[in-house]
C-alpha cells in the first residue's frame, strides 16, 4: 500500500526538534523552556528521561496495520498522563469511591485542599474537565503558574503565569497542571494506594502491557496515608516525572478505551465510562474528561468529529477514530505537522 508508506514517511520526516538530552544549551528543561517559564516557576521536581526517536503504531480493527521506529522504547509522554488519570477515575467510580461526578471532591480529601471558599464547591467533574479553578500551592507549585496558559474558547488576557481573578468552579476552562496534580492527589487519597500500582494491577497487566513503563513522581510529592508514605504522581511531565512508556503500551491503552473498557471479554472499566470520557464539557466543547475532542474539527481537520485524543507536549498523540476503527499512536512528532499525517493515513485506508 504505497499511500500508507507515504503517510509513514511523512510522519518520520516530521520528527520533533526537541533535543535528545531534553535540555536546552543553557541546561533548562526543554518543556519549561517551550512554555516560557522563568525561575522559580520552571524548577524541575521530577526525573527527566532523555528521549528516543520518532515512532508510531496504527491499529485497525484491533490488529496492527503498521508500526515504525522503536515502538518498545519507554519515553516521557507528558500530558497523555492526564488521560490515564481519567481511566483511574473510572475505576474509582466503579468501586464506589466516587459516587457521582457532580459530587464535591472535598469531603473525601485527607487534607484541607478544598476547605477554602474558592475550593469548597469543586466537584470531580470540575477536576476532570479542567474547570475547577482550584486555588492553592501543591508540591511547591502555585496554581498561578499556569494562569492564562490555555483558557478554552476565550483569548488569554495576559501572558501565562500572570495572576488573574478566579471564577466560580465549573464556569471557566483553564489548562492548568497544578490543578491536574490536585486531581491525582485526590485520587490517591481515594484509593489509598499509589496510582501506578492501581494502574498496573487493574489495567496495564490485564491488557498485556510490558513491564517497562513507569510513572515517576516528584522529589517532594510523598504524602502519608494510613501511616504509609506514598508518592503522588503528576498528570504530566511539566516539571519532570510523569509516565514513561512505549508507543506499543500506549496503543494498548487506546485499544482498551476504544473497545468500551472491555478486554478479552472482561469489563475492566465501568460500563459506559468510555462514553462519559468523550462528552463535551459545556464551557469547553473541545474537551471531555481529560481527553481532547475533535469538535468542529478543532484538532485534526481530516478526522471525523467523533475522533478523540490523548495529547502530550513533545508531541505524543493517542488518536482514537471510532468511524474507521483506528487507534494510532505518534511519538515525538511536530504537533503542527500531525494533521498532515492524519490526512494521509485516512487517504491510504480509503483506497
Amino acid at each position: 500500500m504505497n499511500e500508507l508508506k507515504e503517510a509513514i514517511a511523512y510522519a518520520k520526516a516530521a520528527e520533533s526538534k526537541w533535543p535528545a538530552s531534553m535540555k536546552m544549551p543553557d541546561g533548562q528543561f526543554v518543556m519549561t523552556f517551550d512554555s516560557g517559564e522563568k525561575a522559580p516557576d520552571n524548577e524541575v521536581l521530577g526525573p527527566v528521561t532523555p528521549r528516543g526517536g520518532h515512532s508510531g503504531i496504527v491499529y485497525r480493527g484491533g490488529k496492527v496495520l503498521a508500526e515504525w521506529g522503536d515502538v518498545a522504547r519507554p519515553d516521557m509522554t507528558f500530558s497523555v498522563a492526564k488521560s490515564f488519570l481519567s481511566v483511574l477515575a473510572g475505576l474509582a467510580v466503579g468501586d464506589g469511591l466516587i459516587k457521582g461526578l457532580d459530587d464535591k471532591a472535598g469531603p473525601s480529601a485527607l487534607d484541607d485542599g478544598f476547605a477554602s471558599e474558592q475550593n469548597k464547591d469543586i466537584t470531580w467533574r470540575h477536576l476532570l474537565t479542567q474547570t475547577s479553578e482550584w486555588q492553592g500551592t501543591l508540591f511547591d507549585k502555585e496554581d498561578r503558574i499556569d494562569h492564562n496558559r490555555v483558557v478554552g474558547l476565550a483569548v488569554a488576557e495576559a501572558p501565562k503565569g500572570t495572576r488573574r481573578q478566579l471564577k466560580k468552579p465549573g464556569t471557566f476552562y483553564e489548562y492548568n497542571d497544578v490543578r491536574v496534580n490536585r486531581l491525582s492527589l485526590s485520587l490517591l487519597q481515594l484509593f489509598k494506594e499509589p496510582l501506578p500500582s492501581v494502574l498496573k494491577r487493574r489495567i496495564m497487566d490485564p491488557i498485556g502491557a510490558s513491564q517497562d513503563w513507569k510513572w515517576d513522581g516528584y522529589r517532594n510529592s510523598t504524602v502519608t496515608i494510613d501511616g504509609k508514605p506514598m508518592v503522588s504522581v503528576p498528570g504530566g511531565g511539566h516539571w519532570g516525572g510523569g509516565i514513561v512508556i512505549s508507543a506499543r503500551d500506549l496503543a494498548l491503552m487506546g485499544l482498551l478505551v476504544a473497545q468500551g473498557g472491555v478486554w478479552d471479554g472482561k469489563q475492566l472499566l465501568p460500563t459506559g465510562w468510555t462514553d462519559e470520557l468523550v462528552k463535551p464539557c459545556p464551557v469547553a466543547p473541545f474537551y471531555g474528561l481529560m481527553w481532547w475532542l475533535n469538535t468542529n474539527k478543532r484538532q485534526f481537520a481530516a478526522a471525523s468529529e467523533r475522533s478523540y485524543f490523548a495529547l502530550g507536549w513533545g508531541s505524543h498523540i493517542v488518536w482514537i477514530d471510532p468511524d474507521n476503527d483506528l487507534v494510532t499512536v505518534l511519538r515525538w512528532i511536530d504537533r503542527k505537522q500531525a494533521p498532515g499525517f492524519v490526512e494521509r493515513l485516512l487517504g491510504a485506508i480509503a483506497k
Side-chain angles (χ1 to χ4, degrees):
M1 188 185 289
N2 289 333
E3 291 85 357
L4 181 57
K5 290 180 180 178
E6 289 172 4
I8 293 170
Y10 176 92
K12 288 179 177 178
E15 182 173 345
S16 169
K17 299 297 190 286
W18 276 20
S21 67
M22 302 289 278
K23 294 182 179 179
M24 302 304 293
D26 65 357
Q28 184 175 179
F29 181 31
V30 65
M31 170 72 205
T32 57
F33 172 83
D34 249 23
S35 56
E37 287 176 2
K38 306 296 183 185
D41 292 353
N42 66 353
E43 181 186 6
V44 174
L45 301 177
V48 171
T49 303
R51 80 171 181 90
H54 169 69
S55 64
I57 185 167
V58 180
Y59 277 81
R60 191 174 195 199
K63 300 183 184 304
V64 175
L65 178 67
E67 61 179 41
W68 61 95
D70 188 352
V71 297
R73 176 194 165 93
D75 261 319
M76 293 182 76
T77 193
F78 296 89
S79 286
V80 172
K82 293 174 173 60
S83 299
F84 279 89
L85 286 175
S86 72
V87 167
L88 288 163
L91 295 179
V93 169
D95 292 352
L97 299 173
I98 296 175
K99 304 298 183 185
L101 291 182
D102 297 310
D103 289 349
K104 294 179 182 180
S108 59
L110 302 179
D111 61 356
D112 61 358
F114 295 92
S116 71
E117 187 64 25
Q118 174 65 28
N119 297 342
K120 65 182 178 62
D121 292 325
I122 292 172
T123 68
W124 290 103
R125 190 182 303 278
H126 296 153
L127 290 169
L128 285 160
T129 56
Q130 301 225 51
T131 61
S132 74
E133 289 285 84
W134 184 85
Q135 182 180 42
T137 298
L138 189 65
F139 312 134
D140 296 334
K141 298 292 184 181
E142 186 191 3
D143 67 287
R144 185 272 314 157
I145 294 175
D146 269 352
H147 282 195
N148 294 297
R149 180 178 174 183
V150 177
V151 288
L153 298 174
V155 176
E157 298 175 354
K160 173 181 134 51
T162 305
R163 192 181 306 280
R164 62 172 179 78
Q165 187 69 38
L166 297 182
K167 303 182 187 302
K168 180 181 176 182
T171 67
F172 187 77
Y173 172 93
E174 180 173 77
Y175 197 83
N176 190 302
D177 280 332
V178 176
R179 294 175 185 147
V180 174
N181 290 349
R182 177 65 242 191
L183 166 64
S184 182
L185 174 59
S186 293
L187 290 172
L188 172 63
Q189 292 174 342
L190 287 183
F191 285 111
K192 299 184 178 180
E193 178 185 353
L195 297 188
S197 68
V198 177
L199 183 66
K200 174 178 168 57
R201 185 180 75 257
R202 298 184 58 181
I203 300 294
M204 301 305 282
D205 286 353
I207 66 176
S210 75
Q211 301 300 306
D212 298 331
W213 68 274
K214 61 178 180 174
W215 198 341
D216 289 324
Y218 297 152
R219 62 173 180 265
N220 61 345
S221 65
T222 299
V223 298
T224 301
I225 298 177
D226 290 347
K228 298 177 182 178
M230 300 181 189
V231 175
S232 185
V233 290
H238 188 153
W239 299 291
I243 293 181
V244 180
I245 192 170
S246 70
R248 183 173 289 136
D249 287 347
L250 283 179
L252 293 176
M253 184 276 282
L255 280 171
L256 174 68
V257 173
Q259 294 167 177
V262 176
W263 197 269
D264 286 341
K266 185 176 180 181
Q267 190 79 45
L268 300 184
L269 292 171
T271 301
W273 182 247
T274 57
D275 293 330
E276 193 70 44
L277 295 180
V278 296
K279 289 181 180 177
C281 171
V283 298
F286 53 84
Y287 206 66
L289 302 183
M290 296 281 161
W291 286 80
W292 295 86
L293 312 180
N294 206 33
T295 312
N296 297 325
K297 306 275 190 170
R298 183 183 173 95
Q299 296 297 332
F300 295 151
S304 80
E305 287 203 56
R306 293 211 305 144
S307 288
Y308 53 105
F309 315 84
L311 299 177
W313 214 313
S315 288
H316 307 277
I317 302 171
V318 182
W319 164 38
I320 299 175
D321 178 358
D323 289 352
N324 290 291
D325 203 4
L326 287 172
V327 173
T328 302
V329 172
L330 299 170
R331 309 299 308 270
W332 302 117
I333 188 167
D334 183 328
R335 178 74 169 277
K336 292 180 180 178
Q337 297 191 61
F341 167 79
V342 168
E343 183 178 359
R344 287 163 174 79
L345 175 61
L346 291 174
I349 66 172
K351 295 293 184 181

